[in-house]
Every structure is written in C-alpha cells, then in structure tokens.
C-alpha cells in the first residue's frame, strides 16, 4: 500500500467512516486532488480493505466549451476503467449566476453542491466525498482572514458536515486534514494517470489563485510548513467555534427560560404574533460578549429564517439595546424585520410593529443597515 | 484639536481610563508611534482635557552604540521641552540574552517591560502606556498565524492588561485599536517633530520586519484595508478567547467539585502530597474538547507553577488518559512532573510517584516530551 493510500485509510478510521455497506459518491473534477481520491478509494475497494460502492460524479460547468466536455468524458472513462458508475451533468453556470445575482464562483459552488446532493439522493448514497486538501484549507483561511473574519471563517473548511438535512447525507473531505496537493499529484503519477488541468486554476483574476500562487508561497519563506501550521490552527479553531456555539445555545435557552419564569402570563413565552421567544435583557447583558453576540445571531436567524445580509454592525446595534435601563427602542434589520426592547425583554418583529406598539414609550427607529455591501431591500 | 488627538481622546473614554488624578508612564522609544503618543497626551494636558501627570520612560537597549545614546538624550530633551519628567535607563541586552538563553528580541522585550514596571513602582504610577498601533497588531497576528497559533495567539496584543500583579499597574495601548503608523507619522509632522529612526526596523533578518515590509503589503493588494480587517478579527477573537477561558474555568470547577462529592474520604479534595485537586475523568471526557484542553492546561499550570515548555502535544497526551475505562496510566510532562489516571480521577504529581503508586495497576510511562523545541531539562 502506498503512503497516500495508507494516509487515506488512517483518516477514514479517524473520522469513523464506514468500511462496508455504504454507497459513496466521489465528486471528481478530473484535477489531481479528486482523481487521486477516486483512485485511492478504488484501490482500497480492489484490495478488499473497503466493501463499499463508489460512484463518480462530475459537473461540467460549461465554462470552457470543448475542454469542459472533454473533462467530463475523461472522468466518465476513468470511472468506467475502475469499474465504477459515473454521473455526469452539464450546467450553464453563467446563466445561473446572472439569474441569481451571484458571481461565477458562488454560482458554480452552489450548483455543484446542489448536483451532488441530488446525485446522492438518486443513488441512495449516504456520503459525498470531495478531494479538498490542506492547500485548499490554507487558501480558504487566508481568504477569510483577508476580509477580517472571526473564528468561524478562520476555522476554514469542515472535514465532515451535513450536506442534505432531509436525507442526512454527509459531505466528507477525507484528504483535508493531512494531504497536500503535491501528494495527490505524486499519487496520480504513481498510478500512471495524468489528471486534467483546469486553466482557471492559473487565472490570477481570482483571489483564490493569487492566494495560492503569491501569498502562500511568501508565507512559506517564513515557515516551510505553514500550510500544515494553518491546518492545525483550523482544527483548534473548529473546536473553539463548536464550544462557543454550544455555550451560546445554552445562553439563548437561559435568556428564554428566565423570561418564561418572569412573564408567566405570556403563554409558552412566545410572542403571540410571530411565535418568537422573548429574551431577558438582564441575562444577555451580563453574559460574555462573544456568547451574547452568537446567541442574538441565532435568535435573529430563527426569526428571519436565515442570516442573509445580517452583518456584525446589525448585531452591535441590537447589543446596544441591552445597555442602560431604558426600553422603548427599536433596531431595523435588513429585509424589514426589527428587534425592539420593551422593559426588560427583547422582542423580534417579523413585520413592522402595529399601532399599539408604536404608542409605546418614546420609541425611536435606529437604522442599522449601514453597510455599503448590504443594501436594504 | 487634530484628528489624531480626537481619536486618542475617544479611545481613552472607550477604555474608561482616568481623565484626572493619575500618574502615567509613557514608554517612548523616540520612534513616530510613541513620540506621537507622548505629544498627543501632552497636548491633552496642556489644553486641560486631562489633569494627569505624565512621565516619559526610555530604555536604551545599548545595541546601536552612539545612536542609542543619542535616542535616549533626544527623548529626555523632548520630555523636558514638554515639561514632563523623563526616566532613562541603559541595559546591556546582548549580555542579558546570552545569560538567559533568549534571542535578542525576547531579551529586549523582557528587559523593557521589567524596566517599565519598575519605573511605575518608583513613580507611583497606575498605568504604563505604549505606542503600539494597528500595524503592530497586524504584524503580531501574522507572526502568530505563521507558526500555527490558536485563538489566543491570533487575538494578538491586548489593549489593556495587568503589567504588575502586586501593584495592580496596568499596561495600556491607547493607539492599538484605531491608529495606523501613518497617522502617528503625520501627527508628528503636524507638531513639527522629526521622530528618531531605528534602522533595526529596516533589517529584514527579523521576521517582524519582513511581515511589515513584504507580507502585509502583499495582503493589502487583496484588501486595501486589511490592517483594519485584522484589527477587527483580533477584537472578535479576544472576546472569544475570554469566553472560552471563563467556560474552561467553570469546567475545571465542575470537574473538581464532582470529585469532591464522589471521594468524600479525600479531605477537601486535595491530594495530601501536593495539594492539587483531583479531576473527575467523566466530567472532562464528556466536555467540549476546546474547554477540556484549556481546563487541563490551567490545572497543569497550577501544579507546575507555569506552562513553560508545555506544548499542545502534552495536552493531547493527557487528554488521551481520559478515553476508555482503564486507569493506571501515567503521562510525563517536561520538567519531571506527571499526570496519572487512577480509576475515575486524574492526579497531578509534582514529583515522581512513590513506590505505593508504582505498585498500581499495570502503570505505563508515556513520554509526551517529544517536541524538538522543548528539550527536557
């Protein structure tokens, strides 16, 4: 067994992934990373280490004309040679990006994961694997750092996450924690396979490509193992993020329970109009800011259905409601929802508060949607 | 009032620093940052915004011969012109570094803060201020990221911390959260003062200088306000770090209390030999890894008196003691201390366990001091 295959097997065990009785989709672009992943998994099946069924899935982004089609055909042929099924689809990403108002990268990403989730449903697969390596992790972290992310962004890509809630399909990156891009290239060469080149990987108009070709090489002059160092940081921050998130959930419960105890007239502690719990100002005001902000974010996400266009500046504005003894203030959030403070509680309003509320105690509207990149709609 | 002085005043209020009745040491190297800080504070005193007493403190590192002496004389002269006292000292850093086995930067840093704490004690000052800016913050964060730090390292420099436990002296960086190095240069020019240049700031043999002159400029090609973005990240991570640390303290208490309840025979839950609390394996094993690791680190620090040469690898080894039902295992830490698991508790040993313990249940010594940069002594 080569070093690469051994590495994959070790990580597989570490992640406690199934060794038998599973159908697994492998997302294969035809590049070295995903090709090496398919080849290595296939080797583990052939040598009877694994008793799982592999299916290769490829999405032709339709961005590079004839070359895109050749990539798709190449992946299908490789899968066939290895005795695995292949699912190939073609999507007009440019059209999708225009329709959704996304940039090309966002649109491609969204289309790809939609396709993979659908392929998993159709095949009855429990897992989808991608070939992301430590290099992708380092790039993602630096891109997030460059825009001033907090822990969640700096924690980078997760090795395992849920891809499809309804089906419980997992998205797994079994190379992320240990393999370098150079390792996947080497393993492809050992297997006598020449992976496909995507010339977009060389186009420096993309930030990710400049991070890969300019920033990380400069960082390597400081620490030759900086990619490994970043990977370690990502792992630590993932654990921190998960602990903070659990503590914030707990705080949200406490803030809700406290209100319930104090407002017994308020049945089940739900605001009759929008079924959103009221939050106790005192519990939030005395909590650690890092937990308070996360708890408020989660509560607002519940009320709005998502956190689209919700920026730090909005959370800071809602936090300001907690200071002082005075109620009767309102914060407007992007998309028309609002948060108000009334005596000792925070209240979420899915729609504009009605006239009874407006007759309140010197209510004052404070627009928090000030970020240039989050236009109010 | 210039924009710079207004910025300082705003931050002063935000940090809730005293506007009157305080003696304050300002650490002045003679560079633009610390000179601008002294000039701006002096302006606030002259214009009666502040009623505090300022003292300039300068340490001559003795690294640059005649130039070092000239810097010291320049700072004393500037302080005199502004009607403030100056404390100047000269230290042989090279000698200190050799004696302590530190590198020059570490030795200079240590000597500087020792000197400032002493100057504060002698002057009866409540605060020591330094001129660190957002640029220093960005450099520190990147240096820590390059070596794979966790949240604590990425949170960078603290704007306020305790400098001297006994005296309660604070170390405050009132430029850190908002001022750029270019702002301090501009303000010095506005005041007609030409700050001193330290040519070590141009010497690219220092990683910090290369971060400043190579890495951050490249990062600015991605985001022109990357230094501000990093500063925001640092602030978020500081809050995260503080919430995690409080939660870890709570976990440590819980792990200790639980043991007390279960081992009532063990008076006050202290191991008679070394007065260190025993920790309940079950409480730690079911805790979030991010909190568990911090709790163990704190507990080990209590036992050893410090965390010198304690690396992540040691904590991981101690964590492994928690898995499975089996006790009777020992982890050796650098410096001769040990942690053992005995039934359902972790025990800290300041010295080698005596023969009664060695007669235990298949005890096995596992050396965790494997890091090349942490030689056992």
């Amino acid at each position: 067994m080569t070093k690469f295959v051994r590495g994959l097997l070790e990580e597989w065990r570490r992640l406690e992934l199934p060794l038998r009785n599973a159908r697994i989709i492998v997302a294969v672009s035809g590049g070295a990373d995903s090709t090496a992943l398919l080849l290595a998994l296939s080797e583990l099946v052939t040598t009877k280490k694994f008793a799982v069924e592999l299916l290769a899935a490829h999405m032709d982004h339709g961005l590079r004309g004839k070359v895109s089609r050749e990539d798709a055909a190449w992946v299908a042929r490789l899968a066939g040679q290895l005795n695995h099924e292949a699912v190939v689809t073609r999507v007009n990403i440019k059209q999708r990006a225009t329709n959704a108002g996304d940039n090309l990268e966002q649109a491609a990403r969204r289309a790809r994961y939609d396709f993979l989730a659908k392929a998993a449903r159709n095949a009855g697969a429990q897992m989808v694997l991608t070939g992301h390596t430590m290099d992708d992790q380092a790039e993602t972290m630096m891109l997030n750092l460059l825009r001033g992310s907090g822990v969640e962004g700096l924690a980078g890509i997760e090795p395992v996450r849920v891809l499809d809630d309804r089906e419980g399909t997992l998205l797994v990156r079994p190379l992320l924690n240990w393999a370098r891009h150079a390792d996947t290239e080497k393993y492809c060469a050992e297997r006598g396979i020449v992976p496909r080149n995507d010339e977009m990987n060389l186009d420096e108009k993309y930030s990710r490509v400049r991070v890969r070709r300019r920033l990380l090489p400069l960082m390597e002059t400081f620490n030759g193992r900086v990619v490994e160092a970043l990977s370690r940081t990502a792992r630590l921050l993932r654990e921190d993020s998960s602990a903070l998130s659990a503590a914030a959930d707990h705080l949200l419960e406490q803030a809700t329970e406290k209100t319930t105890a104090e407002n017994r007239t308020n049945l089940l502690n739900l605001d009759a109009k929008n079924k959103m719990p009221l939050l106790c100002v005192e519990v939030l005001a005395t909590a650690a800011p890092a937990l308070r902000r996360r708890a408020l974010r989660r509560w607002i996400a519940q009320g709005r259905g998502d956190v689209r266009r919700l920026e730090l500046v909005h959370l800071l504005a809602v936090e300001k409601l907690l200071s002082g003894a005075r109620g009767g203030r309102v914060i407007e959030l992007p998309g028309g929802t609002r948060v108000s403070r009334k005596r000792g509680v925070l209240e979420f309003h899915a729609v504009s508060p009605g006239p009874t509320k407006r007759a309140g105690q010197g209510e004052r509207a404070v627009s928090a949607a000030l970020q240039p990149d989050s236009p109010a709609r």
Side-chain angles (χ1 to χ4, degrees), chain A:
Chain A
M1 207 187 295
T2 61
K3 202 175 152 208
F4 185 78
V5 176
R6 213 162 48 237
L8 177 60
L9 188 55
E10 273 168 25
E11 178 71 359
W12 200 268
R13 288 186 175 135
R14 217 189 57 79
L15 296 176
E16 300 177 353
L17 300 177
L19 295 163
R20 57 199 68 257
N21 301 327
R23 283 169 77 87
I24 296 172
I25 303 262
V26 187
V28 184
S29 68
D33 298 340
S34 56
T35 299
L37 177 60
L38 179 65
L39 288 170
L41 288 167
S42 189
E43 184 176 325
L44 286 165
V45 169
T46 308
T47 58
K48 310 263 195 253
K49 297 278 178 193
F50 282 7
V52 299
E53 195 177 338
L54 303 175
L55 293 88
H58 176 89
M59 192 179 81
D60 174 353
H61 293 59
L63 292 172
R64 296 177 300 134
K66 186 161 149 282
V67 180
S68 287
R69 287 180 206 274
E70 285 168 5
D71 286 351
W74 186 89
V75 170
R77 208 161 48 236
L78 177 68
Q81 283 163 5
L82 297 168
N83 284 318
H84 307 303
E85 256 183 73
V87 194
V88 173
T89 195
R90 186 179 173 88
V91 174
N92 187 333
I93 294 295
K94 273 190 191 140
Q95 189 61 54
R96 285 217 187 187
T98 311
N99 294 350
D102 282 343
N103 67 35
L104 272 191
E105 281 164 299
Q106 284 170 334
R109 200 178 172 285
R110 200 189 301 263
R112 206 156 52 228
Y113 287 111
D114 285 351
F115 159 62
L116 291 170
K118 196 172 147 201
R121 274 198 301 277
N122 290 345
Q126 296 83 31
M127 285 195 291
V128 171
L129 310 187
T130 70
H132 290 91
T133 64
M134 290 170 95
D135 297 78
D136 297 303
Q137 180 68 292
E139 290 161 18
T140 298
M141 291 172 74
M142 290 312 298
L143 284 167
N144 288 336
L145 184 65
L146 285 163
R147 57 175 91 93
S149 282
V151 156
E152 283 70 21
L154 299 183
I157 307 168
E158 289 167 291
V160 179
R161 72 166 172 90
V162 172
L163 175 65
D164 183 335
D165 263 333
R166 268 181 312 167
E167 308 284 330
T169 318
L170 294 181
L171 181 65
V172 182
R173 281 94 175 206
L175 306 182
L176 188 74
N177 281 330
W178 63 278
R180 295 290 309 262
H181 177 64
D183 298 329
T184 67
E185 283 184 323
K186 186 159 164 271
Y187 178 66
C188 285
E190 284 167 11
R191 293 285 302 265
I193 302 285
V194 181
R196 304 288 290 178
N197 269 325
D198 182 346
E199 79 255 23
M200 282 167 74
N201 283 336
L202 302 175
D203 186 345
E204 297 208 359
K205 93 172 168 226
Y206 297 105
S207 302
R208 182 175 287 274
V209 175
R210 290 202 308 282
V211 166
R212 182 184 313 140
R213 292 169 61 89
R214 307 272 167 196
L215 185 55
L216 287 170
L218 178 58
M219 290 172 73
E220 273 174 347
T221 65
F222 290 83
N223 173 2
R225 292 177 62 79
V226 73
V227 169
E228 288 79 359
L230 289 173
S231 172
R232 183 174 62 186
T233 292
R235 220 175 306 182
L236 289 172
L237 297 194
R238 255 186 336 258
E239 291 182 351
D240 289 349
S241 163
S242 137
L244 287 164
S245 162
D249 285 353
H250 183 64
L251 172 62
L252 193 54
E253 266 170 45
Q254 283 184 306
T256 304
E257 283 167 11
K258 186 82 180 288
T259 310
T260 311
E262 286 182 358
N263 297 331
R264 295 205 182 280
T265 51
N266 191 337
L267 186 65
L268 286 173
N269 190 31
L270 295 176
D271 175 14
K273 274 208 223 55
N274 56 31
K275 308 289 180 214
M276 273 286 289
L278 304 174
L279 299 186
C280 171
V281 166
E282 197 196 332
V283 169
L284 291 172
T286 53
L291 303 185
R292 174 167 66 219
R293 207 161 292 163
R294 284 178 173 83
L296 285 172
R297 190 182 149 87
R298 169 134 330 178
W299 180 67
I300 292 170
Q302 271 172 30
R304 300 171 83 224
D306 59 42
V307 290
R308 270 164 39 104
R309 294 185 291 127
L310 191 72
E311 308 275 347
L312 183 56
V313 65
H314 306 125
L315 290 178
L316 292 175
V318 173
E319 267 194 301
K320 273 207 181 146
L321 288 182
L322 300 171
S323 61
R326 212 162 56 82
R329 287 174 289 164
V330 179
I331 299 296
E332 293 178 11
L333 300 176
T337 55
R338 293 173 179 207
V339 175
S340 71
R341 174 170 167 186
K342 224 168 56 171
R343 293 181 210 96
V345 295
L346 287 192
E347 191 171 352
F348 183 88
H349 308 276
V351 291
S352 301
T356 45
K357 278 203 195 68
R358 208 166 292 153
Q361 323 147 36
E363 215 159 283
R364 202 162 47 96
V366 180
S367 175
L370 300 168
Q371 294 280 74
D373 52 346
S374 64
R377 191 162 54 176

